[in-house]
């Protein structure tokens, strides 16, 4: 049976439409295009079988299989949509408003049963940040943050709060992926000299002094992002401050922490100072990639012991994306960077391709692990909006530029459940593309007028670091006694050599022309020896001037005249040494 073709939803100022993904890229006729110019939000369900969007008049729910309209809700102002994992509940969010007299507003977060189409519960949710309830993958647990507490509901029964997790001031939480038992990571910001901390719990064990699975505290944290791995065994916490008190960065300061459910925790040591741009887990849950450091940024893969196992060197990048199967990694520089991408085979750490998506503001892997989409979207960039579909070998398979006076707001792939698209063998030869690759002219470095029309020097603003394996030496097999003895002998021998070399008196070496004598020669006549010494000094000065000229530095007129006298000086030196 042929694998399905993922759909791509496209939302912009000219409405919403869908296209079929590779290999046959074309408009999806079964989905009727919505030409409303006020489509504020759209989303797929977790398995990709249902699609929801709000067009400014109503909120529609449709089947992606045949485009059939399943439900229409009279919700014209919805700007947030979210499906529960098993498509039982649809959560919608509208901007919270109060009455003219200051009276409390009406509930703006609604939960709808997708079988009956009826609203099962409404809440007041003032802030859009973290507005959506969060479900476990089996939908046995649903949680939301309310007034410094995390409220838990079971089996989508929202009339009864089954459990509460109450700490001093819970700011954020994250449920673990996977099946039961569900784990919860909670973040509590610090106050009055107390540190911030992240704790891990297993639902529903929240009470008691030893209920927490793990705890990690840190002082430098105004906000955090928490990222579970796919097996729910560890969390990566990126802690950020708004202000860098050392003055090294305008964007604050970040630190990366590793917390495991077995109680282990560590600060991930990043070799280069600077911001942490992105952190992502591999699908296999045994390694993660971090992009960090002042530009040009470094990218490094770490194992579960937080040891670096491969360093990709430095480059213009600020994001990392693992393929859904975890066999390919893309390092990219989007936003205020030029859109350069590096596609890597992460099993053999071999570079596959280096395409460039100029002005891209969005990147997403197709669920099949072979194709990607890059897009230039508004409001990040309001000109040159459009999207491209690529093969990971760097070929452009489809390109779409929106018409003039039209904006592109969002593109998103139809998701699929795990296992639908198994990993295929990686190919390194570029596949045929329907769109020719754009040959972008490398930008010339600015040169001041005084240096133009002169030889270009090989000066670099930054020293580039090449990719290299950083796997630690295996400590499982200790060296034998004989090997240790030989190693000590080699080290002692090397140290003795270095010591003997340091004790030798250093002799000055004169850099003269090959025609000149390599060692000092005495003729027996003090006057002649003095002339020879003066000539060698002049020739050495000429060699230094020639080096300066080769490096691109402009010489004065008298310096150029000195160089022109080199041949005459060499002839005079030769005559004196031969006693002519």
């Amino acid at each position: 049976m042929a694998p399905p073709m993922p759909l791509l939803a496209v939302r912009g100022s000219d409405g919403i439409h869908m296209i079929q993904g590779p290999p046959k890229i074309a408009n999806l006729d079964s989905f009727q295009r919505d030409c409303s110019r006020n489509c504020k939000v759209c989303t797929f369900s977790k398995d990709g079988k249902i699609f929801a969007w709000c067009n400014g008049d109503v909120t529609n729910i449709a089947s992606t299989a045949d485009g059939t309209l399943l439900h229409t809700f009279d919700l014209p102002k919805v700007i947030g949509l979210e499906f529960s994992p098993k498509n039982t509940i649809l959560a919608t969010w509208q901007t919270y408003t109060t009455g003219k007299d200051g009276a409390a507003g009406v509930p703006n977060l609604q939960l709808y049963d997708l079988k009956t189409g009826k609203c099962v519960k409404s809440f007041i949710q003032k802030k859009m940040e973290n507005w959506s309830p969060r479900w476990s993958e089996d939908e046995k647990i649903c949680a939301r943050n309310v007034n410094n507490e995390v409220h838990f509901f079971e089996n989508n029964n929202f009339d009864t709060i089954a459990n509460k997790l109450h700490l001093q001031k819970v700011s954020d939480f994250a449920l673990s992926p996977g099946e039961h038992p569900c784990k919860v990571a909670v973040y509590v910001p610090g106050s009055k000299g107390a540190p911030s901390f992240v704790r891990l719990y297993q639902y529903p064990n929240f009470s008691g002094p030893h209920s927490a699975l793990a705890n990690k505290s840190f002082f430098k944290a105004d906000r955090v992002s928490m990222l579970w791995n796919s097996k729910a065994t560890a969390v990566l916490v990126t802690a950020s401050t708004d202000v860098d008190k050392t003055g090294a960065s305008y964007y604050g300061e970040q630190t990366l922490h590793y917390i495991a459910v077995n109680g282990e925790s560590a600060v991930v040591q990043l070799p280069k100072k600077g911001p942490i741009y992105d952190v992502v887990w591999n699908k296999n849950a045994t390694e993660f990639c971090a992009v960090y450091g002042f530009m040009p940024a470094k990218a490094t893969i770490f194992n579960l012991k937080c040891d670096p196992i491969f360093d990709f060197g430095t480059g213009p990048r600020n994001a990392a994306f693992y393929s859904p199967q975890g066999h390919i990694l893309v390092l990219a520089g989007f936003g205020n960077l030029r859109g350069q991408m590096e596609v890597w085979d992460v099993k053999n750490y071999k570079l596959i391709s280096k395409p460039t998506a100029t002005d891209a503001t969005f990147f997403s892997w197709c669920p099949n692990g072979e194709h990607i989409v890059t897009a230039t979207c508004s409001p990040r960039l309001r000109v040159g909006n459009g999207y491209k579909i690529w093969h990971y070998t760097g070929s452009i398979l489809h390109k779409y530029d929106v018409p003039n006076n039209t904006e592109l707001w969002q593109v998103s792939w139809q998701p699929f459940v795990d296992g639908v698209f198994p990993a295929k063998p990686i190919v390194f030869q570029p596949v045929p593309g329907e769109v020719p690759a754009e040959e972008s002219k490398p930008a010339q470095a600015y040169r001041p007028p005084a240096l133009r029309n002169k030889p270009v020097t090989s000066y670099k603003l930054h020293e580039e670091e090449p990719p290299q394996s950083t796997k630690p030496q295996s400590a499982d097999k200790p060296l034998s006694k004989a090997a240790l003895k030989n190693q000590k002998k080699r080290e002692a021998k090397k140290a003795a050599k270095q010591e003997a070399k340091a004790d030798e008196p250093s002799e000055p070496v004169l850099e003269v022309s090959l025609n000149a004598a390599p060692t000092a020669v005495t003729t027996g006549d003090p006057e002649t020896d003095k002339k020879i010494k003066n000539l060698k000094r002049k020739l050495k000065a000429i060699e230094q001037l020639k080096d300066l000229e080769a490096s691109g530095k402009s010489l004065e007129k008298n310096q150029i005249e000195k160089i022109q006298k080199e041949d005459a000086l060499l002839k005079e030196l030769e005559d004196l040494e031969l006693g002519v």
Side-chain angles (χ1 to χ4, degrees), residues 414-547:
Q414 176 191 15
F416 285 83
V417 294
D418 292 343
V420 174
F421 296 100
K424 293 183 179 180
I426 294 174
V427 295
F428 293 85
Q429 187 69 25
V431 302
E434 296 183 7
V435 181
E438 296 176 359
E439 294 279 336
S440 58
K441 272 191 173 183
Q444 294 287 332
Y446 171 76
R447 303 191 74 207
L451 293 181
R452 292 170 190 170
N453 302 321
K454 291 185 179 177
V456 180
T457 60
S458 59
Y459 176 77
K460 288 184 179 179
L461 184 63
H462 302 285
E463 285 299 323
E464 295 180 359
E465 297 180 26
Q468 57 183 333
S469 176
T470 54
K471 283 188 178 180
Q473 295 295 325
S474 177
D476 300 332
K477 296 181 180 179
L479 295 173
S480 63
K481 289 184 178 179
L484 281 170
K485 191 175 179 181
N486 290 333
Q487 186 180 7
K488 286 180 180 178
K489 279 183 180 180
R490 284 194 299 270
E491 289 173 357
K493 200 173 181 181
K494 190 176 179 183
K497 273 187 181 180
Q498 288 176 347
E499 192 176 341
K501 195 174 181 181
D503 291 340
E504 290 177 4
S506 58
E507 297 180 5
V509 180
L510 293 175
E511 294 182 11
V512 295
S513 175
L514 290 174
N515 295 329
T519 56
V521 178
T522 57
T523 62
D525 182 2
E527 286 297 323
T528 305
D529 290 344
K530 190 175 181 181
K531 285 182 182 179
I532 290 173
K533 187 176 179 181
N534 288 335
L535 285 171
K536 286 183 177 180
R537 189 175 67 249
K538 289 179 181 178
L539 286 168
K540 183 178 179 181
I542 289 172
E543 288 292 333
Q544 291 173 347
L545 290 174
K546 287 166 73 176
D547 290 341

Side-chain angles (χ1 to χ4, degrees), residues 300-317:
T300 307
I301 291 181
F302 297 87
N303 59 17
L304 293 182
K305 294 181 180 178
C306 299
D307 294 325
I309 56 177
F310 191 81
D311 187 340
F312 294 97
T314 57
R317 53 174 82 109

Side-chain angles (χ1 to χ4, degrees), residues 368-404:
N368 63 18
E370 293 185 77
H371 303 98
I372 57 181
V373 64
T374 61
T376 304
C377 299
S378 179
R380 182 66 178 82
L381 280 177
R382 295 188 181 274
V383 293
N385 285 187
Y387 64 86
K388 295 174 187 173
I389 297 177
W390 308 67
H391 189 266
Y392 64 76
T393 55
S395 305
I396 301 177
L397 306 180
H398 180 70
K399 179 182 177 182
Y400 175 76
D401 295 322
V402 300
N404 292 334

